[in-house]
């Protein structure tokens, strides 16, 4: 029987204030939820070299599956549609990598010459008004950097070994992600159907609808992010070409990849572009590129993100920053990349599961989640 209403409750024959009774009830429930969350997070962190590639495979599948669906609709068998999709993706990436490497090799000599001239211009700028720095001190900066590199040669060697280990882990994770992407494209609907059947029959409709919402969020996020990243890379790359900054294509590719980390990535890529313009073309070019970067970021923040992503990532900017910070702490750069779509997916699914019944969209029992969301 529920305790009597009023300011006091009866607990094991003793009367305690109702506020204390309610606080205790809430406290142990919160502790249980926090403990369960901590256990889940610990397991995921321990298995991050398995979890990160699988989630990356989901993002790749969300990006590539529309092409697979169109090819299957055109009459290709399931296996042929999957193979053509993957071959086209590999061809695009290979062509882009070839262009970047060729431009880097062809502009290396010009870049070295421009860096020397730009460094001299920066040195003259800093030694003049209003900075009035000592030219001798500016000239000694390079010597100090070289001496610091020699002094910390052992630490640099250890860092190279660590980098080789990380490169091996990245290569293994990439292979696993590609392997999982193949099966997600080929058999994703059947895999999801098997997952749904693991739940009790009465809860399967809600699991089905939760999965549909999760997939819709992931698909909307990755496609919208690709469009936003392309626009950022195009306009910043165009500005670099017009100003005459070397390595415009590699910098545009860096901008495209960095855009997958919301808020932070675009800023970092912009800083890299400005620094390259500074050392290669001087202060004036750096200022122009900085203006271009700021204008593109304003375009992204006020027009592209709200209209293209829309409700796919209905998160407050503070929540995005906290998610990126937590993801980077737990899993480095890959964690920062997947943090926002993961939190957005959990937010949309939780809104469905814990929302009022009137707000829930009826499930679609006649179709699977992956096929339904990608059609």
């Amino acid at each position: 029987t529920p305790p009597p209403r009023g300011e006091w409750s009866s607990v094991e024959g003793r009367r305690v204030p109702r506020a204390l009774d309610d606080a205790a009830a809430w406290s142990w429930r919160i502790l249980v939820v926090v403990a369960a969350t901590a256990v889940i997070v610990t397991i995921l962190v321990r298995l991050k070299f398995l979890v990160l590639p699988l989630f990356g495979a989901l993002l790749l599948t969300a990006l590539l599956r529309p092409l697979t669906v169109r090819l299957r609709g055109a009459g290709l068998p399931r296996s042929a549609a999957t193979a053509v999709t993957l071959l086209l993706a590999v061809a695009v990436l290979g062509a882009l990598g070839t262009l970047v490497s060729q431009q880097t090799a062809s502009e290396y000599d010009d870049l070295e010459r421009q860096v020397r001239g730009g460094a001299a211009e920066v040195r003259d700028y800093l030694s003049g008004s209003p900075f009035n720095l000592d030219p001798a001190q500016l000239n000694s900066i390079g010597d100090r950097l070289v001496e610091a590199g020699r002094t910390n040669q052992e630490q640099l060697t250890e860092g190279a070994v660590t980098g080789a280990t990380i490169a091996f882990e990245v290569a293994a994770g990439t292979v696993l992600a590609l392997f999982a992407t193949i099966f997600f494209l080929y058999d994703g609907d059947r895999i999801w159907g098997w997952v749904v059947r693991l739940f009790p029959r009465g809860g399967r409709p809600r699991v089905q609808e939760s999965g549909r919402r999760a997939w819709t969020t992931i698909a909307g996020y990755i496609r919208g992010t690709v469009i936003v990243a392309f626009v950022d890379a195009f306009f910043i790359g165009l500005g670099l070409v017009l100003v005459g900054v070397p390595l415009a294509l590699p910098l545009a590719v860096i901008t495209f990849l960095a855009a997958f980390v919301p808020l932070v990535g675009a800023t970092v890529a912009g800083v890299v572009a400005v620094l390259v313009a500074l050392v290669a073309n001087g202060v004036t070019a750096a200022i122009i590129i900085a203006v271009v970067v700021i204008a593109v970021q304003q375009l992204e923040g006020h027009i592209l993100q709200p209209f293209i992503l829309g409700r796919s990532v209905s998160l407050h900017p503070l929540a995005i920053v906290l998610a990126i910070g937590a993801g980077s702490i737990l899993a480095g750069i890959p964690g920062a990349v997947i943090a926002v779509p993961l939190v957005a997916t959990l937010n949309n699914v939780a809104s469905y599961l814990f929302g009022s019944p009137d707000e829930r969209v009826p499930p679609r029992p006649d179709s699977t989640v992956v096929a339904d969301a990608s059609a």
Side-chain angles (χ1 to χ4, degrees):
T1 59
R5 295 183 177 275
E7 297 181 357
W8 296 84
S9 300
S10 177
V11 179
E12 295 182 355
R14 292 175 294 179
R15 291 166 59 83
V16 298
R18 172 169 290 276
L20 179 60
D21 187 19
D22 293 340
W26 278 103
S27 297
W28 73 259
R29 288 176 171 86
I30 292 174
L31 290 176
V32 169
V33 173
V34 170
T37 304
V39 170
I40 295 174
V41 171
T42 302
I43 294 174
L44 293 178
V45 171
R46 293 276 184 174
L47 300 176
K48 64 180 179 180
F49 295 112
L50 179 63
V51 174
L52 292 177
L54 289 179
F55 197 85
L58 285 176
L59 295 178
L60 287 175
T61 304
L63 180 63
L64 300 176
R65 186 172 176 82
L67 177 58
T68 305
V69 173
R70 290 181 180 275
L71 292 175
R72 290 175 59 183
L76 286 181
R78 183 191 297 261
S79 57
T82 302
V84 171
T85 301
L86 293 174
L87 289 176
L88 288 176
V90 172
V92 171
L93 292 178
L96 184 61
T98 302
L99 288 175
V100 170
S101 60
Q102 288 180 348
Q103 187 186 40
T104 303
S106 62
E107 294 186 0
Y108 180 80
D109 295 335
D110 294 337
L111 176 62
E112 184 179 1
R113 176 180 52 81
Q114 287 181 293
V115 166
R116 291 177 181 176
E121 181 179 347
V122 172
R123 184 173 61 251
D124 296 339
Y125 180 78
L126 293 177
S127 61
S129 178
F131 300 100
N132 297 321
L133 298 180
D134 188 0
Q137 294 180 351
L138 295 175
N139 292 330
S140 66
I141 292 178
D143 297 334
R144 293 178 183 177
L145 292 176
V146 173
E147 183 64 24
R150 293 175 179 173
T151 304
N152 299 284
Q153 185 175 3
E154 182 178 355
Q155 288 81 355
L156 293 175
T157 304
E158 294 177 356
V161 174
T162 304
T165 304
I166 295 175
F168 175 77
E169 294 174 349
V170 170
T174 302
V175 172
L176 177 58
L178 293 176
F179 190 74
T181 302
I182 294 174
F183 284 99
F184 287 161
L185 289 173
Y186 178 77
D187 223 12
D189 48 358
R190 297 176 183 174
I191 294 174
W192 175 247
W194 175 80
V195 172
V196 172
R197 287 193 297 272
L198 294 177
F199 291 85
R201 187 176 299 274
R204 290 176 186 176
R206 297 187 68 186
V207 174
Q208 179 81 358
E209 176 64 12
S210 299
R212 187 188 68 82
R213 288 173 176 254
W215 181 255
T216 302
T217 301
I218 293 175
Y221 171 81
I222 189 64
R223 295 170 195 167
T225 302
V226 167
I227 295 175
V228 172
F230 177 79
V231 173
D232 290 351
F234 175 80
F235 284 107
I236 292 179
L238 180 62
L240 293 171
V241 171
L242 294 178
V243 175
V245 178
L247 303 180
L249 180 59
L251 290 174
V253 173
I254 292 174
T255 302
F256 178 84
L257 297 177
F260 285 86
V261 182
L263 301 180
V264 180
T267 302
V268 173
V271 171
V272 172
V274 172
L275 289 177
V276 173
L278 177 64
V279 299
N281 297 74
V283 178
T284 303
I287 294 175
I288 295 175
I289 296 302
V291 172
V292 172
V293 170
I294 293 174
V296 171
Q297 290 182 352
Q298 294 299 314
L299 173 67
E300 173 189 345
H302 294 87
I303 298 178
L304 298 180
Q305 291 281 359
F307 285 95
I308 295 179
L309 290 179
R311 295 185 178 180
S312 298
V313 187
S314 55
L315 297 175
H316 193 276
L318 179 60
I320 294 177
V321 172
L322 294 177
I324 293 173
S328 60
I329 292 173
L330 295 175
I333 295 178
V337 172
I338 71 170
V340 175
L342 180 59
V343 172
T345 301
L346 294 176
N347 177 58
N348 288 344
V349 172
S351 299
Y352 163 71
L353 292 177
F354 301 107
S356 61
D358 295 337
E359 297 175 352
R360 296 176 183 158
V361 178
R364 304 179 184 181
D366 57 339
S367 59
T368 58
V369 172
V370 177
D372 192 28
S374 303

